[in-house]
């Protein structure tokens, strides 16, 4: 058993979808979440910038003596996970990847849609996943520029959000997509809007449950799982504002104290 915290980060608020699941299934763990909102979105930045930010955030988490790291961001995973694993070989690092394998099991029509950021869509890792698990399946990929910003702004149902979703998803529906992989941790917060758009006809897949299960498996195997009283959740943002506090509490579904990520980490 280890009292040390688990570090979780995302470019912004999307990773709260992962944080919630981890807190639900591993309630005794002390969790530290970092929303790197000052630098969001990562998805249309160049690789070097994403690497630099991921590294800075992880340095802060290491200073907090974390026992494991969850990269709650598909984009940071495809760009930075290998680099971070090389740099911090003793740290347990769990990354995220789009749910291609489960989607292949779910689709009835054999047509899968993938929504993700530009960096994830063009990544080699996504190509590998498709090659490994979805060889005989039709894949429709869509980079969804603008959606992360809508979630960061707390606009889950606004006209602009609906319009962006319609532009990205309607062509997929016409092509017969029946299973949609949400390959960015911000998108689960748009599930209601997506379901409305597709009249609930499309199965939506995200990865908060399998990632949490994987984390738990590793902690148990290494004898590091914390049990007992409720663990605390420390929340940091690299760009904390009053508006953001409100949005975070809406997503977290409760009050939570948020701290500004200190310099020189932001
Ligand atoms: N939540 C991040 C992901 O899963 C969004 C990246 C971004 O900031 O563009 O990819």
């Amino acid at each position: 058993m280890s009292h040390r915290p688990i570090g979780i980060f995302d470019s912004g608020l999307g990773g709260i979808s992962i944080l919630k699941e981890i807190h639900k299934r591993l309630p005794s763990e002390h969790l530290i979440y970092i929303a790197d909102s000052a630098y969001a979105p990562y998805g249309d930045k160049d690789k070097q910038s994403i690497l630099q930010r991921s590294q800075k955030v992880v340095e802060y988490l290491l200073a907090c003596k974390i026992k494991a790291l969850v990269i709650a961001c598909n984009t940071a995973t495809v760009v930075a996970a290998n680099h971070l694993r090389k740099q911090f070989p003793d740290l347990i690092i769990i990354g995220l990847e789009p749910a291609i394998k489960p989607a292949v099991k779910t689709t009835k029509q054999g047509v899968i849609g993938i929504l993700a950021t530009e960096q994830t869509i063009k990544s080699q890792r996504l190509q590998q996943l498709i090659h490994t698990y979805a060889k005989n399946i039709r894949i429709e990929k869509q980079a969804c520029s603008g959606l992360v910003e809508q979630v960061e702004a707390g606009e889950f149902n606004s006209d602009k959000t609906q319009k962006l979703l319609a532009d990205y998803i309607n062509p997929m529906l016409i092509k017969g997509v029946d299973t949609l992989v949400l390959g960015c941790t911000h998108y689960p917060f748009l599930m209601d809007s997506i379901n409305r758009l597709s009249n609930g006809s499309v199965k939506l897949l995200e990865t908060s449950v399998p990632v949490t299960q994987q984390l738990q498996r590793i902690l148990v195997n290494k004898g590091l799982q914390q049990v007992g009283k409720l663990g605390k959740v420390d929340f940091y943002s690299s760009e904390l504002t009053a508006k953001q506090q409100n949005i975070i509490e809406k997503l977290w579904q409760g009050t939570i104290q948020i701290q500004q990520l200190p310099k020189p980490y932001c």
Side-chain angles (χ1 to χ4, degrees):
M1 190 154 98
S2 164
H3 300 289
R4 284 160 56 208
I6 296 169
I8 303 162
F9 85 95
D10 179 38
S11 64
L13 309 185
I16 297 173
S17 58
I18 308 292
L19 174 72
K20 282 168 80 170
E21 190 61 30
I22 295 177
H23 186 57
K24 185 172 126 197
R25 289 191 179 235
L26 303 170
S28 300
E29 298 290 351
H30 172 194
L31 307 178
I32 302 179
Y33 182 88
I34 297 179
D36 197 19
S37 297
Y39 298 86
Y42 280 2
D44 38 24
K45 295 215 164 38
D46 61 86
K47 286 187 180 174
Q48 199 49 35
S49 311
I50 300 170
L51 268 178
Q52 273 170 5
R53 281 312 302 162
S54 302
Q55 168 130 358
K56 265 271 176 279
V57 165
V58 173
E59 279 168 13
Y60 181 74
L61 290 169
L62 285 171
C64 299
K65 306 227 175 317
I66 55 168
K67 61 183 173 187
L69 171 73
V70 178
I71 307 175
C73 175
N74 293 263
T75 309
T77 299
V78 295
V79 174
N82 285 344
H83 172 83
L84 292 170
R85 286 191 179 108
K86 269 191 209 130
Q87 212 177 3
F88 308 111
D90 297 329
L91 181 65
I92 297 168
I93 298 182
I94 295 171
L96 249 64
E97 44 195 34
I100 306 296
K101 194 177 169 189
V104 171
K105 288 192 187 138
T106 305
T107 180
K108 296 212 164 45
Q109 305 300 325
V111 193
I112 295 171
I114 304 171
L115 306 180
T117 65
E118 198 182 319
Q119 280 289 0
T120 301
I121 289 292
K122 66 182 190 199
S123 69
Q124 235 185 353
R125 182 67 190 134
L126 181 63
Q127 294 319 317
Q128 276 168 359
L129 285 172
I130 293 171
H131 183 74
T132 309
Y133 299 114
K135 260 195 194 135
N136 302 317
I137 299 284
R138 219 170 103 203
I139 302 282
E140 298 292 334
K141 292 184 275 183
Q142 178 65 56
C144 301
S145 176
L147 284 186
V148 167
E149 288 92 325
Q150 293 305 102
V151 174
E152 291 288 310
E155 290 195 26
F156 311 107
N157 297 305
S158 69
D159 289 350
K160 185 171 173 196
T161 305
Q162 293 290 351
K163 163 95 173 66
L164 280 171
L165 286 172
D167 287 350
Y168 294 139
I169 295 172
N170 283 343
M172 291 188 164
L173 297 177
I174 291 166
K175 288 176 184 156
V177 163
D178 66 356
T179 303
L180 208 42
V181 173
L182 305 182
C184 167
T185 52
H186 282 72
Y187 303 166
F189 293 118
L190 301 173
M191 269 184 177
D192 287 348
S193 296
I194 298 173
N195 278 328
R196 217 170 307 127
L197 192 70
S198 67
N199 289 321
S201 65
V202 168
K203 181 93 180 139
L204 306 180
L205 297 179
E206 52 87 30
T207 44
S208 57
V209 172
V211 162
T212 305
Q213 287 169 336
Q214 193 194 353
L215 171 65
Q216 185 169 24
R217 245 186 332 264
I218 294 174
L219 293 177
V220 169
N221 284 344
K222 292 188 179 285
L224 294 174
Q225 186 177 8
Q226 171 76 1
V227 288
K229 64 177 175 36
L230 191 68
K232 60 176 179 154
V233 179
D234 292 326
F235 205 114
Y236 292 90
S237 166
S238 54
E239 193 182 46
L240 183 56
T241 60
K243 184 178 177 208
Q244 193 188 45
Q245 170 94 31
N246 279 335
I247 298 166
I248 290 171
E249 290 189 342
K250 209 182 268 179
L251 298 178
W252 178 249
Q253 294 172 306
T255 48
I256 188 161
Q257 205 202 328
I258 306 160
Q259 301 167 66
Q260 172 67 40
L261 186 67
K263 283 189 171 27
Y265 301 99
C266 60

